[in-house]
Amino acid sequence: MSTIEQETETDEPTDESTDVAVESPGDRRRAEKRERTQAREDQRVDEGISEHEETITLKVFRYDPEVEGKEEPRFDDFTVPFHKGMTVLDALIYSRDHYDSSLTFRHSCRQAVCGSDALFINGSQRLACKTQIADLDAGTIRIEPLPHQEVVKDLVVDMEHFYDQMEAVEPYFDADELPEDELEEQRQDRENREKVKMSTRCIWCGACMSSCNIAAGDNEYLGPAAINKAYRFAMDEREGEQRKQERLKIIEQEHGVWRCQTQFSCTEVCPKDIPLTEHIQELKREAVKNNLKFW
C-alpha cells in the first residue's frame, strides 16, 4: 500500500522594508495641477467654450526660479474664447482665472495709462491692454516679457534699472522764481505748451528702452524714456536757466544723447506716439549750442 505525501505550500516571509518611491510635495503639487488642468479641459463647454465658438491660442513664456520643475524657461499654450474687442490682457486674465492661477503678469488701470503691462507680443513691444487681438492677425499669439531686462517670474521683469535711469535726469520741475501768491499759477504760453505736450505723455512703461539696441549693449545709456523726460523740463519756458544748464550737462555726457544712433525703434513702439527720436535730436542741437563760445 502506497502512501502519497502531500506537500503543503507555505508562504515565504516577505520583507516589508522594501524601498518604495516616496513622492515629494513638489511631485504631488504638479500631479494635482495636471489633474485640475485636465478637468478644466474636459469641462470646456460648461465653462463657456463651445466646439463652434471661435478661439485663439496664447503661447505664453513661463519661468519661476523659486519653484522646483519650473526653473527652466518654457512656453505654455492656453486656448481662449475670442470675442470682438478682446485685448491681449483680457486673454491673459482669462487664462490665469480658468487654467493656471500661478500665471504672473503686471496690470492695473487697463486703459493704457499706468504702463504696467508692457510685454513683447508677437515680436514687438506693446501694451497688453491696448493691443486688440483682432489686429494681430494670427491664430497663435506669442507673449513674452520685455527683452533686455531680467525676468523675475513669467511675464514680470525687474524695472529697477529703468527707474534708476529715469531718476538720473532729475525729472523735477525747478523754476528760478515762484509767484508771490502761493495760489497763483506758473503761467506758460500756448506755443511752449504745444512744444512739450507730447513729451508729457510718457507713462514709464519701458517699451522704448526694451526696443533700443544701444540700451541693450550699454547698461549706462540713459535711454529714450529718460532723455524724453529731460526734454520735457529742459524745453519748458518756466524752467530756471541755471537748472536747464545743469540738466543739459546730464544728458550730454558720454552715455547720454550722443549714444543715440537714430534707429527710430523707440518711436515705433511707443504706445503714446511720442516722437522720442525727434526729441533726442533736438536735445543734441541744444547741447551743441550750449557749448558754443564766441570771442
Side-chain angles (χ1 to χ4, degrees), residues 31-283:
E32 291 170 358
K33 179 181 174 181
R34 286 194 294 270
E35 292 175 1
R36 290 196 300 270
T37 301
Q38 186 59 48
R40 291 193 182 103
E41 266 310 303
D42 295 340
Q43 297 177 357
R44 289 176 69 235
V45 175
D46 295 336
E47 292 179 357
I49 306 179
S50 67
E51 295 181 359
H52 305 290
E53 190 171 1
E54 185 178 359
T55 62
I56 51 98
T57 300
L58 303 184
K59 185 175 287 294
V60 183
F61 179 90
R62 306 300 304 276
Y63 167 71
D64 190 345
E66 297 182 355
V67 176
E68 182 183 354
K70 296 184 178 181
E71 302 94 341
E72 292 298 322
R74 69 184 192 282
F75 282 89
D76 285 350
D77 291 350
F78 300 99
T79 301
V80 177
F82 171 77
H83 59 81
K84 184 178 180 181
M86 190 177 200
T87 65
V88 170
L89 180 59
D90 293 332
L92 283 172
I93 292 174
Y94 184 95
S95 300
R96 181 195 62 195
D97 293 347
H98 289 78
Y99 296 121
D100 187 351
S101 61
S102 70
L103 177 59
T104 307
F105 51 92
R106 291 188 177 109
H107 69 94
S108 184
C109 74
R110 302 181 69 170
Q111 296 179 2
V113 176
C114 69
S116 61
D117 63 342
L119 299 170
F120 198 55
I121 302 171
N122 280 3
S124 181
Q125 288 81 359
R126 310 170 189 257
L127 291 184
C129 66
K130 187 180 180 182
T131 305
Q132 291 284 319
I133 289 177
D135 294 339
L136 294 177
D137 192 26
T140 299
I141 300 172
R142 186 182 178 97
I143 307 175
E144 302 168 78
L146 290 177
H148 311 316
Q149 302 194 49
E150 182 182 353
V151 179
V152 178
K153 179 182 179 182
D154 293 344
L155 301 175
V156 175
V157 297
D158 186 351
M159 297 288 288
E160 184 176 357
H161 176 65
F162 173 79
Y163 295 142
D164 287 343
Q165 299 303 79
M166 295 294 280
E167 291 292 336
V169 299
E170 301 176 6
Y172 313 107
F173 189 76
D174 189 3
D176 281 342
E177 297 181 0
L178 297 176
E180 294 182 3
D181 186 348
E182 62 179 11
L183 298 180
E184 183 180 348
E185 298 176 346
Q186 292 179 281
R187 299 187 181 277
Q188 180 183 31
D189 64 43
R190 291 179 181 272
E191 291 76 12
N192 187 247
R193 173 59 187 171
E194 285 300 312
K195 184 178 183 64
V196 302
K197 180 175 69 175
M198 293 300 294
S199 65
T200 66
R201 295 181 177 180
C202 177
I203 56 176
W204 295 45
C205 67
C208 61
M209 190 82 158
S210 171
S211 73
C212 179
N213 291 328
I214 308 304
D218 181 0
N219 202 44
E220 296 184 53
Y221 176 46
L222 288 174
I227 295 175
N228 172 74
K229 185 60 66 174
Y231 176 94
R232 180 262 174 274
F233 292 103
M235 295 301 177
D236 193 313
E237 64 181 1
R238 299 167 296 178
E239 176 89 314
E241 186 59 32
Q242 181 179 347
R243 195 69 183 89
K244 179 178 179 178
Q245 297 300 317
E246 293 172 354
R247 203 180 300 280
L248 287 175
K249 287 181 180 179
I250 294 174
I251 59 97
E252 68 181 11
Q253 60 177 290
E254 179 183 356
H255 300 281
V257 293
W258 304 111
R259 292 289 287 124
C260 173
Q261 297 180 1
T262 61
Q263 296 177 351
F264 288 92
S265 58
C266 56
T267 301
E268 291 176 359
V269 304
C270 178
K272 308 307 286 186
D273 300 320
I274 303 172
L276 296 164
T277 307
E278 180 182 326
H279 289 170
I280 294 173
Q281 302 316 304
E282 189 166 352
L283 282 177

